[in-house]
Amino acid sequence: MSREDLLLEVKNLQTHFKTEEGLVKAVDDVSFNLAKRETVGIVGESGSGKSVTSLSVMRLIPNPPGKIVGGEINFFDKGKKVNLVNASEAEMRYYRGNEISMIFQEPMTSLNPVFTCGNQVTEAIRLHQQVSAQEAKDRTIELFDKVQLPTPERIFSAYPHQLSGGQKQRVMIAMAMSCNPQILIADEPTTALDVTVQKTILELMANLKQEIDASIMFITHDLGVIAEIADRVIVMYKGKIVEQGDVYSIFSNPQHPYTKGLLACRPPLDKRLSKLPTVSDFMSVNTKGEMVEIASSVDEMIRSFEITKDQHAQRLVRLKEKKPILEVKNLKTYYPSKRNFFGKVTDYVKAVDDVTFDVYEGETMGLVGESGCGKTTLGRTLLRLAPAWSGEVLYKGHSILDLPKAELKELRKEMQIIFQDPYSSLNPRITIGNAIMEPMQVHGILANDAERKDRVTELLETVSLLPHHFNRYPHEFSGGQRQRICIARALALNPQFIVCDESVSALDVSVQAQVLNLLLELRETYGFTYIFISHDLSVVKFMSDRMIVMNKGKIEQMGVADSIYENPGTNYTKDLISAIPKGLVDDIRVRTQHGERGTL
């Protein structure tokens, strides 16, 4: 990289946080460069330091408890080198938004709910540019059009809660692009979005990057996304950079075992595995805190877990020899959407529209589709958490839609749900031990609390947590650990049928692999039947025996998961499959050989 191309130089950066448990070196002696018109991907698990690195560049570290304690962040502004670590607040107000802009991970919490979307973008424009209110409005509507928001004038006057997740993310991109920055920092901008929306956002960012001649720091835990958009890759682990290089080298010949683990734990689309490899299959840390390499080959590790088509076909035959545990017939769930002057309903949202399928005992049935397709409403309707409009739901041959409350309460022991967001599923004022024990108390499971506490301890160990975690609160755990707690709580009543509703969508790919492996292990041990709901077809394909593709409340396609991937029967299914970031080495080679820097 020539000096003329250098735009950002991070040298020996150290950002520390003082906590009750001691000093945390969130960023520990990190150095890297960003060139003009380059996209650098920074990857790693939660806690690796990637987001703190980006916040350090923006000088947005909350002090206390955090502080940049060493190093340089040199920004080359029109030939002038500025060390942002030592820049005054007035200088940083100029650089933030004007020259270096950021798209944050969660648009709903980044946008102010009491101001319209247009107001928030015009405010950013007028803060950095000497323009009138009307000029700022015109510029905002132009930006909304560029980021492909439908009816930009309407979006201008809309509040954040009135937009979908993908639309809110586009508003954030428009705001970040509003002053034509030289550097755009994107911090997990597509986490928990549908794969189709994610693909659109990535294409949009790549196109806008070319248009305004910007550079991008793209932060994510998903190496599949990095393969689609990045020129170079930086891999972070526990505050340090463990590997960096061009995207083709990292994917074709990873050197560090942590990088190998991240690459291997993504669900493959062209194979069926008995379990997903995890980072712990490639490395461990000894008592001295030193990294020890376990496995060296990603391909060999994946091959060791591979299941042949014949083996899976035999499993499907065995499943179909049993009676269906769940039979759904012409199920409809409608919600009123319009009323006339007299309050009479004139139109409905057909969330679930005439759906029919069976699920066999011990089977995992996948439900996949974009947000709003009806998959979550279907799962909730099956459990009587949402009211059915018409149709039948038979569980073990008995209708459950017309069960009285007393009988429904008994049924809850057998039918459980694991929700998408484990943090909002747990009461922050109750220890996790009591949260797991509560449903056992409600249903009178076991004789007394002493026996129940012993059972909770067993459940914690089942989901790879420790007995002493009983007295800890939800905020003391990571996202992956909280999801394990929710799984333990679902198991507390010894259920036979479990709905997993987007239960891994917001987790790191490495933690996601651990949770998916745990769910499969529990299925084999206890004979569970799952309905597995996700917008990510690659995850659903890995988990499921059969799969249902939903679109606008209806079943678009249904069949064996592998067959649907290999032979998608509809354009909608083809679009879902094509939108999955595949991270194939051959695709990366073609992209980089043609000089397609940061494009899709």
Side-chain angles (χ1 to χ4, degrees):
M1 184 187 301
S2 67
R3 201 69 183 174
E4 292 75 25
D5 285 336
L6 188 59
L7 187 59
L8 185 74
E9 179 187 47
V10 177
K11 293 175 66 176
N12 309 113
L13 180 64
Q14 300 171 62
T15 304
H16 296 174
F17 287 80
K18 290 182 179 178
T19 70
E20 293 178 358
E21 298 175 355
L23 188 69
V24 174
K25 297 180 179 180
V27 178
D28 190 10
D29 198 24
V30 163
S31 299
F32 65 92
N33 297 329
L34 177 67
K36 294 175 182 176
R37 296 171 294 282
E38 182 183 39
T39 298
V40 169
I42 303 180
V43 296
E45 298 170 287
S46 294
S48 64
K50 58 189 188 298
S51 289
V52 177
T53 299
S54 67
L55 291 170
S56 298
V57 171
M58 295 288 286
R59 281 270 302 275
L60 291 175
I61 300 296
N63 184 12
K67 187 178 181 182
I68 299 173
V69 297
E72 301 175 24
I73 303 170
N74 296 317
F75 175 60
F76 294 85
D77 181 27
K78 302 174 183 68
K80 180 178 68 173
K81 184 169 87 170
V82 180
N83 184 358
L84 300 180
V85 172
N86 301 325
S88 66
E89 277 303 315
E91 287 177 302
M92 285 309 302
R93 279 194 296 272
Y94 167 76
Y95 286 114
R96 277 193 218 112
N98 207 34
E99 300 293 345
I100 307 174
S101 219
M102 190 163 185
I103 305 168
F104 293 96
Q105 179 171 355
E106 179 45 69
M108 193 63 215
T109 55
S110 304
L111 293 169
N112 192 321
V114 301
F115 291 103
T116 65
C117 296
N119 182 283
Q120 296 182 62
V121 179
T122 55
E123 181 186 31
I125 292 171
R126 298 195 71 190
L127 182 67
H128 294 287
Q129 300 179 22
Q130 301 298 316
V131 297
S132 67
Q134 184 59 47
E135 287 174 317
K137 180 178 180 179
D138 292 343
R139 170 69 174 149
T140 299
I141 291 175
E142 180 188 341
L143 284 165
F144 284 175
D145 184 56
K146 279 185 178 179
V147 299
Q148 300 169 24
L149 280 165
T151 57
E153 290 81 4
R154 179 184 65 82
I155 299 290
F156 185 92
S157 303
Y159 290 88
H161 73 272
Q162 296 174 302
L163 307 184
S164 69
Q167 288 174 334
K168 284 193 283 279
Q169 196 61 280
R170 292 178 201 211
V171 171
M172 289 295 298
I173 293 172
M175 189 185 300
M177 295 287 191
S178 61
C179 297
N180 295 333
Q182 295 188 62
I183 298 175
L184 178 63
I185 300 174
D187 185 8
E188 300 273 15
T190 59
T191 297
L193 293 179
D194 297 340
V195 286
T196 49
V197 177
Q198 173 179 269
K199 182 181 180 183
T200 305
I201 294 294
L202 294 176
E203 288 175 341
L204 173 64
M205 289 181 62
N207 291 336
L208 290 174
K209 170 198 165 186
Q210 301 295 327
E211 187 175 317
I212 66 172
D213 206 24
S215 300
I216 296 178
M217 277 175 57
F218 196 99
I219 295 155
T220 182
H221 61 260
D222 190 345
L223 274 161
V225 171
I226 289 295
E228 303 281 331
I229 199 169
D231 303 309
R232 286 192 303 116
V233 184
I234 294 168
V235 183
M236 292 192 68
Y237 175 67
K238 292 189 175 180
K240 293 181 177 290
I241 293 176
V242 294
E243 187 168 1
Q244 61 177 309
D246 67 86
V247 63
Y248 179 73
S249 298
I250 294 292
F251 275 77
S252 62
N253 188 27
Q255 298 299 305
H256 197 278
Y258 181 68
T259 310
K260 295 173 185 177
L262 289 181
L263 285 167
C265 66
R266 295 176 299 127
L269 287 164
D270 58 343
K271 297 178 180 67
R272 177 165 286 273
L273 305 183
S274 59
K275 60 177 286 190
L276 288 172
T278 62
V279 171
S280 61
D281 290 316
F282 291 87
M283 60 174 280
S284 64
V285 179
N286 62 22
T287 53
K288 297 178 182 179
E290 299 166 335
M291 187 275 294
V292 179
E293 185 169 0
I294 301 172
S296 59
S297 172
V298 173
D299 291 339
E300 285 180 14
M301 179 63 69
I302 290 174
R303 276 196 296 271
S304 69
F305 295 144
E306 191 170 352
I307 297 173
T308 66
K309 286 188 176 182
D310 286 344
Q311 288 172 320
H312 189 243
Q314 289 169 12
R315 170 177 163 77
L316 292 172
V317 169
R318 289 194 301 271
L319 287 172
K320 290 195 175 184
E321 288 173 350
K322 304 174 184 178
K323 289 183 178 179
I325 193 172
L326 186 79
E327 298 169 80
V328 181
K329 301 177 182 179
N330 307 112
L331 186 64
K332 298 179 180 178
T333 304
Y334 292 177
Y335 296 104
S337 61
K338 290 182 183 178
R339 298 178 186 271
N340 62 18
F341 179 78
F342 300 101
K344 183 179 178 181
V345 177
T346 58
D347 201 5
Y348 296 89
V349 172
K350 298 179 180 180
V352 178
D353 193 10
D354 199 22
V355 165
T356 299
F357 65 94
D358 296 336
V359 183
Y360 293 93
E361 186 178 347
E363 181 181 25
T364 299
M365 174 67 85
L367 284 182
V368 68
E370 297 173 295
S371 294
C373 72
K375 57 188 186 296
T376 291
T377 303
L378 174 56
R380 293 174 66 87
T381 304
L382 298 178
L383 298 179
R384 288 277 302 271
L385 297 175
W389 179 269
S390 65
E392 286 185 272
V393 178
L394 305 179
Y395 178 73
K396 294 184 176 178
H398 300 287
S399 174
I400 66 174
L401 293 183
D402 51 3
L403 279 182
K405 285 188 177 180
E407 292 182 42
L408 183 61
K409 181 181 176 182
E410 281 299 307
L411 187 66
R412 297 262 183 248
K413 293 180 187 178
E414 293 198 30
M415 304 178 78
Q416 286 288 300
I417 185 168
I418 302 168
F419 292 102
Q420 177 174 359
D421 183 356
Y423 196 69
S424 61
S425 304
L426 296 167
N427 189 327
R429 295 188 178 92
I430 296 177
T431 65
I432 62 109
N434 287 320
I436 297 170
M437 193 160 64
E438 183 181 36
M440 298 164 67
Q441 294 168 327
V442 169
H443 288 276
I445 305 292
L446 300 178
N448 52 54
D449 281 353
E451 290 186 14
R452 293 180 190 118
K453 187 170 182 179
D454 290 340
R455 173 62 177 150
V456 171
T457 301
E458 290 176 17
L459 289 169
L460 288 172
E461 291 175 336
T462 298
V463 298
S464 303
L465 294 172
L466 300 173
H468 71 260
H469 287 152
F470 186 101
N471 293 313
R472 292 190 181 180
Y473 290 87
H475 73 272
E476 298 179 82
F477 295 89
S478 68
Q481 288 174 319
R482 283 195 289 265
Q483 196 59 280
R484 291 168 186 268
I485 293 163
C486 290
I487 292 170
R489 187 173 62 177
L491 299 182
L493 298 178
N494 301 315
Q496 294 183 40
F497 179 86
I498 300 175
V499 174
C500 303
D501 185 11
E502 298 276 13
S503 51
V504 296
S505 63
L507 300 178
D508 293 344
V509 285
S510 54
V511 178
Q512 173 183 278
Q514 294 169 23
V515 173
L516 294 177
N517 287 342
L518 172 62
L519 290 171
L520 286 181
E521 184 183 323
L522 293 170
R523 185 186 72 183
E524 299 308 309
T525 303
Y526 299 102
F528 291 145
T529 303
Y530 291 134
I531 284 187
F532 192 89
I533 300 170
S534 178
H535 61 260
D536 188 339
L537 194 143
S538 62
V539 171
V540 173
K541 178 183 172 295
F542 166 73
M543 283 294 295
S544 305
D545 299 300
R546 290 186 298 144
M547 185 195 309
I548 293 172
V549 180
M550 289 193 68
N551 182 22
K552 297 179 180 177
K554 292 183 176 291
I555 292 178
E556 186 89 8
Q557 189 173 358
M558 178 167 58
V560 177
D562 293 354
S563 299
I564 287 179
Y565 173 72
E566 291 166 5
N567 300 294
T570 69
N571 290 332
Y572 180 77
T573 307
K574 290 176 183 175
D575 289 342
L576 282 180
I577 292 170
S578 66
I580 301 169
K582 297 173 180 62
L584 299 177
V585 172
D586 288 344
D587 292 344
I588 297 170
R589 183 178 64 248
V590 170
R591 175 169 72 82
T592 53
Q593 282 178 347
H594 284 79
E596 299 175 13
R597 295 171 54 131
T599 58
L600 293 168

